[in-house]
Amino acid sequence: MERSLVVGGSGLLGQNLVRELRASGEDVLSTYSSNEASASREGFVKLDIRDPDAVAELLYSFSPRHVYLPAAMTNVDQCERSPTQAWDINAVGTMSVAKACKNVGARLLYVSTDYVFSGMKGSRYYEFDNPDPVNIYGQTKLEGERVTLDADRHNLVCRVSVLYGRSESGKLNFVTWLMGELMKGNKVRVFHDQYVSPTYAPHCAKVMVKLMGSEEKGVFHTSGPDCINRYDMAVAIANEMGMDAASIEKVATADGGLLARRPEVSCLSVDMAESVLDLAMMPFKEGISLMNRPNGR
Ligand SMILES: NC(=O)c1ccc[n+]([C@@H]2O[C@H](COP(=O)([O-])OP(=O)(O)OC[C@H]3O[C@@H](n4cnc5c(N)ncnc54)[C@H](OP(=O)(O)O)[C@@H]3O)[C@@H](O)[C@H]2O)c1
């Protein structure tokens, strides 16, 4: 039986990776950091990737063949507020994981972001485009990519954009937040000038596991295939729920009071992943429709 470690299995993408790997018959160990609800769950251990000795010890004792690293400081404005913490987790923490993987001969898949790009290109980004992040989150995640690829040329970097799906922990993401607000009959204000490639976490996890099982290496875009702004996402969600979109108000990012700069168009091209894996990434409309089914995968 193959052994896989998911560092950050308590997060949205991480829990889907754990589920996918278990379903494919792997022996999976997963980590959490602050989400104590995971403490009592089978196959979960506590790990802070800022502790290099703990990282090395876990990798040595479990000896996985594959390591998935979705763990990160993911709150973009919080990263801007606490740049040292963001650097320690997203860059230095990733380096500890990459080094430990190298030492035990494990292949690493590092989860990255569309925010490594400035958005100034004005159209979809390809894997070969030069990253030019405009905020601390993007800068620290880019460093995470570099240390992953420097550690071993067989490692993988998978970039995603606006992850969505139902979370076991109940932690909200853009889509579940919006669904909740619409259900409560609240008015919402949504940016019309941030174009992204929304990524359905359960499907993305499947794609990552498939990539890890292949001979592929280097950088891949594994987001959804759309290039859509957040306002249009919100309208699509209202339509899917059979609700009136009149309570959704368009707002410009400049008027949103966000601390960190956001790229305007950080859409990703998924041609390469679709071509090498011979599959189609999941369109947003399909993902939100699946979310409303009992086994939304
Ligand atoms: N969310 C998005 O829209 C989005 C967009 C683009 C890229 N990404 C990337 O996709 C990945 C997954 O995102 P997500 O939304 O699924 O994340 P998430 O739900 O915010 O979960 C983050 C995970 O990281 C763990 N973690 C945080 N600090 C840690 C530390 N110091 N040591 C060890 N683990 C730590 C958390 O553990 P606890 O919960 O136990 O604290 C949790 O398991 C991230 O790498 C993110 O940068 C996300």
Side-chain angles (χ1 to χ4, degrees):
M1 198 190 278
E2 296 287 6
R3 280 192 165 177
S4 285
L5 173 68
V6 179
V7 180
S10 49
L12 176 60
L13 182 58
Q15 59 196 246
N16 283 286
L17 283 166
V18 171
R19 194 180 299 122
E20 190 59 34
L21 288 163
R22 289 209 172 120
S24 61
E26 294 211 19
D27 180 9
V28 186
L29 183 65
S30 177
T31 77
Y32 70 97
S33 162
S34 64
N35 180 345
E36 292 296 337
S38 301
S40 55
R41 295 173 60 195
E42 207 190 315
F44 270 81
V45 291
K46 187 166 180 146
L47 178 75
D48 189 326
I49 58 173
R50 287 172 293 183
D51 180 345
D53 293 339
V55 170
E57 208 175 297
L58 182 67
L59 266 288
Y60 183 73
S61 61
F62 186 60
S63 275
R65 179 161 180 244
H66 293 154
V67 175
Y68 296 81
L69 178 55
M73 184 164 165
T74 55
N75 183 314
V76 177
D77 290 316
Q78 191 58 37
C79 288
E80 209 71 12
R81 220 170 274 124
S82 309
T84 307
Q85 192 186 357
W87 180 260
D88 288 347
I89 298 173
N90 296 348
V92 184
T94 300
M95 189 161 70
S96 300
V97 176
K99 266 190 187 168
C101 285
K102 179 82 181 162
N103 287 340
V104 300
R107 174 153 124 113
L108 173 64
L109 184 154
Y110 170 73
V111 183
S112 191
T113 170
D114 53 336
Y115 278 16
V116 297
F117 296 116
S118 66
M120 283 187 262
K121 180 181 173 190
S123 60
R124 282 178 196 280
Y125 285 93
Y126 293 91
E127 285 82 351
F128 54 77
D129 281 317
N130 278 334
D132 52 353
V134 290
N135 55 40
I136 299 287
Y137 170 72
Q139 287 161 13
T140 57
K141 292 293 293 182
L142 178 59
E143 194 56 27
E145 290 191 1
R146 288 189 175 134
V147 297
T148 297
L149 297 175
D150 279 355
D152 194 299
R153 66 186 182 88
H154 295 103
N155 287 342
L156 284 161
V157 167
C158 289
R159 294 185 185 135
V160 301
S161 165
V162 187
L163 281 167
Y164 67 98
R166 300 214 181 271
S167 172
E168 289 162 0
S169 70
K171 187 181 164 196
L172 297 176
N173 48 75
F174 178 74
V175 170
T176 51
W177 164 77
L178 201 111
M179 285 177 166
E181 293 301 301
L182 292 177
M183 295 279 278
K184 285 185 243 164
N186 292 342
K187 282 196 181 307
V188 288
R189 302 174 81 228
V190 182
F191 300 120
H192 64 82
D193 52 358
Q194 284 180 29
Y195 285 79
V196 292
S197 296
T199 308
Y200 188 44
H203 187 257
C204 181
K206 274 188 205 300
V207 171
M208 287 177 172
V209 170
K210 209 168 170 191
L211 255 184
M212 194 64 134
S214 75
E215 302 281 298
E216 299 298 331
K217 52 189 190 281
V219 180
F220 281 86
H221 292 172
T222 55
S223 64
D226 310 80
C227 185
I228 182 171
N229 71 55
R230 286 180 187 259
Y231 174 79
D232 287 341
M233 283 172 73
V235 172
I237 292 166
N239 289 342
E240 172 60 34
M241 295 170 73
M243 299 185 91
D244 189 0
S247 59
I248 307 169
E249 187 192 335
K250 278 185 188 177
V251 197
T253 303
D255 301 328
L258 297 173
L259 186 61
R261 258 182 82 187
R262 302 298 203 274
E264 202 172 308
V265 184
S266 58
C267 302
L268 300 174
S269 161
V270 292
D271 293 354
M272 195 161 96
E274 289 190 333
S275 152
V276 303
L277 295 175
D278 192 23
L279 51 71
M281 303 307 289
M282 185 167 285
F284 184 60
K285 283 192 179 150
E286 207 175 309
I288 52 175
S289 152
L290 270 181
M291 273 178 78
N292 288 328
R293 295 196 206 148
N295 185 10
R297 247 146 264 145

